[in-house]
Amino acid sequence: MSNDAELLRPELVFFDVEAKDAFELFDVLEDKLTGLGYLKDTWKAAISERERNYPTGLACPTGQIAIPHTDPSNLNKPYIAIVKPRGTVRFQPMGGDGDPVDAKLVINLGIMRDGGQVEMLQKLMGIFMDNDKSADVFEQNTADGMVGAFRKYLA
């Protein structure tokens, strides 16, 4: 799929999830995404290992986020899942140095296209380094609104 924004779907937006850290969140996502047919049974171990070795928390000027992902070999089909937790979810900072990141928004990339993960990370950074765009995304409280906001800025 050349337009990765099409991977954003209301069924993949989850609000009010409770998880204290990345690994509890992966438990929740595994349940939800496996039930929808997106994940292979290797996904949880693979994303957890990647998160331990290459943390994905980002303290952006407009709010703290995390962008966990894993290799396409752990997916049945491509997706982008968005989690707006009830509180925050603790991730270690990207690059491994600095304070933990208490993410208010988690974007789980399940992109299967070569180079797609890096390209999407760059596009997401463009959103979260922009005050107006990120404020719009953070303010969304419906699945359709969240998908619409991301699609608008990823187009």
Side-chain angles (χ1 to χ4, degrees), residues 1-90:
M1 182 176 293
S2 60
N3 183 1
D4 293 323
E6 293 174 17
L7 300 177
L8 292 156
R9 296 184 184 100
E11 71 179 26
L12 298 172
V13 179
F14 307 105
F15 291 95
D16 295 325
V17 170
E18 291 196 44
K20 72 176 180 350
D21 61 25
F23 307 102
E24 279 189 10
L25 180 68
F26 297 156
D27 287 337
V28 173
L29 280 174
E30 180 184 37
D31 289 344
K32 292 180 181 298
L33 297 175
T34 298
L36 295 169
Y38 288 95
L39 308 180
K40 291 184 179 174
D41 60 4
T42 56
W43 180 86
K44 178 150 180 270
I47 198 166
S48 295
E49 181 68 18
R50 183 176 179 94
E51 190 66 33
R52 277 191 282 278
N53 294 325
Y54 305 101
T56 60
L58 286 167
C60 297
T62 57
Q64 298 190 344
I65 65 170
I67 310 174
H69 51 281
T70 190
D71 295 325
S73 61
N74 300 293
L75 310 176
N76 287 324
K77 56 186 179 179
Y79 70 91
I80 298 174
I82 300 167
V83 178
K84 188 174 181 183
R86 177 164 291 152
T88 60
V89 179
R90 179 152 288 185

Side-chain angles (χ1 to χ4, degrees), residues 124-146:
L124 290 169
M125 291 305 297
I127 293 171
F128 290 101
M129 299 305 275
D130 180 293
N131 288 337
D132 293 335
K133 291 176 183 176
S134 61
D136 184 21
V137 168
F138 279 119
E139 288 170 6
Q140 298 306 316
N141 58 15
T142 67
D144 288 331
M146 188 68 79

